[in-house]
Amino acid sequence: MNLIHTLENQLESINAELSELPAGRLEVYKNGRWDRWFYINNNKREYIPKANLELAQNLAYKQYLSLKKEIILAKIESLSAASIELEYATNELNKFILNEKYIKLLNRNNSVTSKDISLWLSEPFNQNPAHKEKLIFRCPSGHYVRSKSEVFIDMALTNINLPFRYECELQIGNHLFYPDFTILHPYTNKLIYWEHLGMMDDDAYSGAAFSKLRTYQLNDIIIGENLIVSYESSKNPFSIFDAEETIKLFHLD
């Protein structure tokens, strides 16, 4: 299947989801410490009470899908030598995902059916104790992470109900590591680690990153088998689309 065909299938899936969501759109305003939600439809503006959380979530998800649809359309037209700016569409989706007014509404898939998975998620674990003050980026799942790119990974995993832990301690010999994400495969119950390498144009950072990956490999944590590695640099930023595509390439979706 060629890339355009794959994108067209994704577009069809998004259109099917959009057809099931309510008409109109959402507006969110800050009111002191609280958010106020409004439903805009047919030039009418109605306040959405907190009791109608589902409507606000559906409208936020509709906007997310609509922005994602623009990226896919831009990719299709870009591959067809059209002039739509793919980078602009990607940035618009990323800005929406990271907007604190909407981020709380985007976690719609929070149910876990497997007993084993539920137990794993509820077990306490040692988390990276270093520089907790840098956990400043809030994800739709409620987790706090260290970078915008990790928000995208958290969201991509959450959206398809993949159970994971953030910066869970991993002991190898006498050394402790804290992979960015530790995923419990829902079918095999095997652990998969995800490291996102976010400053690959920094020599010291990239050197330390490759050293860690070598240690992983020597201890049977292998890229493509039980280790996912994603990269970015200042010239090649990471997006929610990249996170979702990485999951698909690893056949976790």
Side-chain angles (χ1 to χ4, degrees):
M1 182 181 294
N2 63 41
L3 181 54
I4 290 182
H5 192 186
T6 300
L7 292 169
E8 287 173 343
N9 286 341
Q10 292 175 8
L11 188 61
E12 183 178 350
S13 176
I14 287 177
N15 284 334
E17 283 196 83
L18 286 171
S19 69
E20 299 295 325
L21 294 170
R25 60 185 175 86
L26 174 72
E27 287 186 355
V28 183
Y29 297 95
K30 278 289 183 185
N31 184 20
R33 294 174 54 195
W34 312 105
D35 295 332
R36 290 174 61 85
W37 308 327
F38 291 91
Y39 178 39
I40 313 299
N41 190 30
N42 293 330
N43 296 321
K44 293 182 180 180
R45 183 171 178 269
E46 299 179 13
Y47 172 69
I48 304 175
K50 299 300 180 185
N52 201 359
L53 171 64
E54 184 177 358
L55 174 60
Q57 288 180 320
N58 284 337
L59 291 170
Y61 186 58
K62 178 184 178 182
Q63 188 166 343
Y64 162 74
L65 286 179
S66 297
L67 289 167
K68 185 175 177 180
K69 177 179 176 178
E70 290 303 312
I71 288 180
I72 293 174
L73 287 171
K75 277 184 173 285
I76 291 172
E77 296 200 27
S78 177
L79 289 169
S80 304
S83 60
I84 293 180
E85 290 289 340
L86 174 60
E87 182 178 355
Y88 174 79
T90 301
N91 287 339
E92 287 299 299
L93 176 62
N94 291 349
K95 284 192 297 183
F96 174 73
I97 291 169
L98 294 168
N99 190 319
E100 64 175 15
K101 296 186 297 184
Y102 298 97
I103 200 165
K104 296 187 291 292
L105 296 168
L106 288 174
N107 180 21
R108 307 191 326 148
N109 298 323
N110 54 11
S111 61
V112 178
T113 56
S114 167
K115 183 178 179 181
D116 290 339
I117 292 175
S118 297
L119 288 173
W120 185 77
L121 287 172
S122 65
E123 288 175 356
F125 63 91
N126 294 329
Q127 195 171 21
N128 188 355
H131 301 293
K132 289 197 170 184
E133 74 280 359
K134 294 184 179 180
L135 299 171
I136 59 173
F137 295 93
R138 182 178 179 180
C139 306
S141 64
H143 298 125
Y144 283 86
V145 297
R146 300 175 189 270
S147 71
K148 294 178 181 178
S149 297
E150 290 179 338
V151 173
F152 301 145
I153 295 172
D154 183 293
M155 184 173 181
L157 294 172
T158 300
N159 280 348
I160 58 172
N161 272 344
L162 275 178
F164 66 92
R165 295 172 177 173
Y166 178 67
E167 291 192 342
C168 177
E169 181 181 284
L170 170 64
Q171 185 165 356
I172 298 178
N174 295 322
H175 300 283
L176 295 179
F177 294 90
Y178 298 91
D180 296 322
F181 296 88
T182 301
I183 304 163
L184 180 64
H185 196 292
Y187 304 118
T188 66
N189 280 339
K190 293 182 179 179
L191 294 179
I192 298 169
Y193 304 98
W194 187 330
E195 290 283 12
H196 180 71
L197 309 180
M199 297 188 296
M200 293 306 289
D201 41 6
D202 181 285
D203 290 342
Y205 177 94
S206 59
F210 286 126
S211 176
K212 178 166 62 173
L213 294 180
R214 175 170 170 76
T215 301
Y216 282 173
Q217 182 173 2
L218 292 174
N219 288 273
D220 296 322
I221 300 176
I222 311 297
I223 296 174
E225 293 184 13
N226 54 352
L227 176 63
I228 301 170
V229 180
S230 51
Y231 306 86
E232 72 177 303
S233 65
S234 57
K235 293 182 179 179
N236 296 283
F238 192 76
S239 72
I240 180 64
F241 198 83
D242 295 321
E244 292 172 338
E245 289 301 298
T246 300
I247 288 173
K248 290 176 182 177
L249 288 172
F250 211 83
H251 303 294
L252 289 172
D253 56 330

